[in-house]
Amino acid sequence: MNGATALRHLPAELLLTIMSGEEKGVTYKLLGEIITLGRAPENDVIINDNKASRNHARLERRSQECWIKDLESRVGILLNGKPVTESVLKDGDLIRIGDTNIRFGPAMSMAIVGAPPIPLTRPAPSTAPKSIYTPKSEGKNPFIIIIIIGLVISGVLLTRNQIKKNQRMQIKDESAYDQQIEGTTQFNQNQEQVILEKGKDTQQYAEAQGFYLRGFREFRENNFGRAIQDFEAALALYPNHPLAKRYLDRSRLKLNELITQALERGERDFQNEKYMNAFNEYRTVILLTNDPKNKNFELAQKRIETIQLILTNNR
């Protein structure tokens, strides 16, 4: 048994955060006195790990402590790197089930690191000479005049070349600006996507999580129709919710199983002329299906009409 100090004052909400695997970053709010963990869909916390047992472990509230207990799983439990069969948990403990690491305690905060690059600065364009000094030619040596004219022409040519060079630099820098703006925009979009995928800091996620938890309770009580409505509401608010889509699919599968079973019982009772039993089964099919365009709904409705006619004629 682990000798670590227990949580003497348990918070109202206990949290488990998946630290590795395909659900990395998902945080579970633990409700109830006993929380089960494993691969099977009926568990409170489903571990998507092939090394995990279907019913691997459970958490138990005991007075002001929270304990974890191994349910005779294949690979057992590691608590902070040490194998345990039963142990009290403390804030920050790391639980390992198969290849999945799970942190016990408050959810870890999320921070965005890195910053977009700073755009390049534009060089100040060179300015051409404001005026050109033309010396008087009176009394001057003609060679000096020729030299002065040559210098003036050279200055004009250099100024034009500098202007063209500055124009090329300006065009290049504007292209660099566009690249930097595009890169910064992509950076921001990537960071927004990270937030959306992890979703812990958005109001939409908080509202979606409320629908998910309500749907999960309905799922556990086999109210699959209501569960479907809650999971659909969660996904409408937050399409990337990591668990709502999975449980929506499972709820639909379970509901279809119930409908099929009720329809088979109704058909069997109908063939055996147990019309009242068949009537009740067909009514169950209609209530569970709740869709007049569904083939099972149509068949059950037709059978009920037939049963009513048979019972009327037998009076």
Side-chain angles (χ1 to χ4, degrees):
M1 185 177 297
N2 192 342
T5 303
L7 282 175
R8 296 301 175 185
H9 300 285
L10 281 180
E13 295 181 352
L14 297 181
L15 301 177
L16 287 181
T17 302
I18 307 299
M19 305 299 293
S20 62
E22 64 181 58
E23 291 185 359
K24 180 179 179 181
V26 175
T27 298
Y28 291 86
K29 180 190 296 184
L30 306 182
L31 306 174
E33 298 298 316
I34 297 178
I35 307 298
T36 59
L37 300 88
R39 284 190 299 108
E42 62 267 17
N43 285 288
D44 300 305
V45 177
I46 300 173
I47 308 297
N48 290 314
D49 188 323
N50 292 331
K51 293 183 180 180
S53 299
R54 289 182 56 82
N55 298 294
H56 198 106
R58 71 167 177 249
L59 301 182
E60 300 177 358
R61 291 178 184 258
R62 301 179 185 176
S63 184
Q64 293 300 313
E65 297 177 339
C66 185
W67 287 69
I68 186 168
K69 183 176 182 179
D70 180 54
L71 300 180
E72 299 181 354
S73 61
R74 292 176 300 170
V75 297
I77 300 171
L78 293 180
L79 182 62
N80 299 322
K82 298 179 181 179
V84 297
T85 55
E86 186 175 14
S87 178
V88 67
L89 294 175
K90 60 180 176 54
D91 188 16
D93 275 347
L94 191 64
I95 305 164
R96 186 175 181 87
I97 294 178
D99 292 329
T100 303
N101 291 320
I102 306 170
R103 181 178 182 273
F104 175 80
M108 300 173 65
S109 60
M110 180 182 68
I112 300 175
V113 296
I118 300 174
L120 299 174
T121 56
R122 297 186 183 182
S126 300
T127 58
K130 294 182 178 179
S131 62
I132 299 175
Y133 171 71
T134 304
K136 295 181 179 180
S137 60
E138 293 182 2
K140 298 294 183 181
N141 192 316
F143 292 102
I144 296 177
I145 296 174
I146 293 173
I147 292 173
I148 292 173
I149 294 174
L151 290 174
V152 170
I153 294 173
S154 299
V156 172
L157 293 176
L158 287 174
T159 301
R160 289 180 177 177
N161 291 335
Q162 185 65 31
I163 291 174
K164 291 181 179 180
K165 182 179 179 181
N166 287 338
Q167 289 176 343
R168 289 196 297 271
M169 290 179 64
Q170 184 176 359
I171 292 173
K172 179 180 178 181
D173 288 344
E174 288 178 355
S175 176
Y177 261 83
D178 292 338
Q179 292 177 0
Q180 295 296 337
I181 291 172
E182 182 178 354
T184 302
T185 301
Q186 185 63 42
F187 175 88
N188 293 342
Q189 291 174 349
N190 291 340
Q191 294 305 314
E192 290 172 357
Q193 185 63 28
V194 169
I195 294 174
L196 287 176
E197 289 176 355
K198 294 187 176 180
K200 304 303 183 296
D201 293 341
T202 63
Q203 180 64 26
Q204 284 183 324
Y205 180 85
E207 294 176 0
Q209 186 70 359
F211 280 107
Y212 164 73
L213 292 173
R214 190 167 69 183
F216 186 74
R217 286 193 293 269
E218 298 290 355
F219 179 88
R220 292 184 61 184
E221 295 173 5
N222 295 330
N223 297 325
F224 301 116
R226 295 178 183 175
I228 288 172
Q229 294 177 354
D230 288 327
F231 293 140
E232 287 177 342
L235 290 171
L237 287 167
Y238 192 82
N240 293 328
H241 194 284
L243 295 175
K245 179 63 168 64
R246 179 181 305 161
Y247 276 101
L248 174 61
D249 293 339
R250 291 178 180 175
S251 297
R252 288 171 173 167
L253 180 62
K254 292 288 187 180
L255 182 62
N256 287 334
E257 289 177 358
L258 292 180
I259 292 172
T260 300
Q261 293 169 2
L263 188 60
E264 289 175 350
R265 290 193 298 268
E267 289 292 281
R268 185 171 57 250
D269 289 336
F270 183 84
Q271 296 298 327
N272 293 330
E273 298 183 357
K274 298 178 180 180
Y275 296 121
M276 290 307 301
N277 290 342
F279 181 90
N280 291 331
E281 296 294 348
Y282 291 135
R283 286 292 300 167
T284 300
V285 171
I286 289 176
L287 291 174
L288 291 176
T289 305
N290 195 28
D291 180 8
K293 296 182 181 180
N294 185 280
K295 294 299 182 181
N296 293 327
F297 186 102
E298 293 180 2
L299 176 59
Q301 193 172 46
K302 292 297 182 182
R303 291 297 198 201
I304 287 177
E305 293 174 359
T306 301
I307 290 172
Q308 289 173 334
L309 291 173
I310 290 174
L311 295 177
T312 300
N313 291 331
N314 290 340
R315 289 178 182 175

